[in-house]
Amino acid sequence: MNGVNGASDASGVTGGGPIRVLVVEDDPVAADAHVMYVGRVPGFVPVGKAHTGAEARRILDRTAVDLLLLDLHLPDVHGLQFARSLRAAGHQADVIAVTSARDLTVVREGVSLGVVQYVLKPFTFATLRDRLVRYAEFRGAAGEASGQDEVDRALAALRAPSPAALPKGLSGPTLERVTVALREAEEGLTAAGVAEGVGISRITARRYLEHLVEAGRAERAPVYGQVGRPELVYRWGRVGGRRG
């Protein structure tokens, strides 16, 4: 059995503190990599790993888990069947499915079982980090929505940018890098700062930043220095509201 640390309330989901993640993956090398990835994302903590559904169930019965990073093709059970059994037993942890399968029927079935994201193998750390941060933003939404737009924004947090929906000249991979850079900058970034961090021109960086602002994913504000024109600083988060 793998070493597992966590609270004793095995069926509950934390309201505050780090989001506790159980990695369920039959490939030992991949499992170790996924645990390492989760541990590198601020606000998330891996509480264990399991290579089979049975092993995962034993961990869940004694350890509080908020989120499963779940391989759908386990040696003893299909991931969706496992998720269904967890719901029947009262476990409320959400699920990010990790799979090489591209069957959209499986995707639809997973929605009703608490699968909030799908990550297709093979994936990079940046891809998983983006999905985890989006999940944290969705999970952190609280209080009463002021209207339909706010509900839509909360749900949109789970969706990755779609390259097909981007304006001409913008690419999905570059948008993901700009998004990650902005999320990690607590004090915000200028277009020049994004350009330097991502490796693109300042003009290109500003186009991506303005796209995020127009999409309601970021906000901008002028910062006045001692002399000269004010500089625009971009920050991740809702316009006029709490940051995710």
Side-chain angles (χ1 to χ4, degrees):
M1 181 66 65
N2 301 296
V4 178
N5 297 311
S8 59
D9 180 9
S11 63
V13 176
T14 54
I19 296 173
R20 300 167 296 193
V21 182
L22 174 63
V23 172
V24 187
E25 166 65 55
D26 68 328
D27 183 337
V29 175
D32 288 342
H34 297 170
V35 168
M36 180 184 67
Y37 284 173
V38 170
R40 289 171 59 189
V41 181
F44 289 82
V45 58
V47 297
K49 62 183 176 182
H51 302 307
T52 66
E55 187 179 5
R57 185 63 176 269
R58 289 194 294 269
I59 294 174
L60 283 161
D61 284 342
R62 71 168 190 259
T63 305
V65 172
D66 303 313
L67 179 67
L68 293 175
L69 194 60
L70 177 64
D71 181 14
L72 293 188
H73 295 285
L74 299 172
D76 59 341
V77 65
H78 189 278
L80 291 186
Q81 182 181 344
F82 178 70
R84 187 178 294 106
S85 70
L86 290 182
R87 290 293 176 262
H91 291 283
Q92 298 301 313
D94 290 321
V95 175
I96 291 182
V98 178
T99 179
S100 57
R102 288 162 170 77
D103 186 349
L104 293 180
T105 301
V106 174
V107 173
R108 290 196 298 270
E109 184 180 355
V111 171
S112 64
L113 299 173
V115 177
V116 296
Q117 288 273 15
Y118 280 83
V119 182
L120 293 180
K121 295 180 179 179
F123 58 85
T124 64
F125 167 65
T127 296
L128 181 61
R129 175 178 56 187
D130 178 77
R131 299 307 188 274
L132 291 177
V133 171
R134 287 178 179 276
Y135 170 74
E137 183 180 349
F138 169 75
R139 179 185 170 87
E144 185 174 348
S146 61
Q148 184 67 50
D149 287 347
E150 192 165 346
V151 172
D152 291 343
R153 279 195 297 268
L155 294 174
L158 291 173
R159 296 196 294 269
S162 172
L166 294 178
K168 185 177 180 180
L170 302 189
S171 73
T174 302
L175 179 59
E176 181 174 344
R177 296 201 304 273
V178 171
T179 297
V180 168
L182 200 60
R183 278 176 166 153
E184 292 182 343
E186 289 294 328
E187 301 302 319
L189 288 171
T190 63
V194 170
E196 181 179 356
V198 175
I200 55 180
S201 72
R202 181 173 179 173
I203 293 175
T204 300
R206 187 179 296 278
R207 288 192 64 202
Y208 281 94
L209 290 167
E210 289 297 325
H211 171 73
L212 289 172
V213 170
E214 291 171 6
R217 311 306 299 152
E219 56 187 359
R220 64 173 177 263
V223 174
Y224 295 89
Q226 305 231 343
V227 294
R229 297 175 59 186
E231 194 167 22
L232 288 177
V233 172
Y234 296 82
R235 294 181 176 85
W236 183 257
R238 254 186 5 220
V239 177
R242 179 180 57 81
R243 293 183 68 195

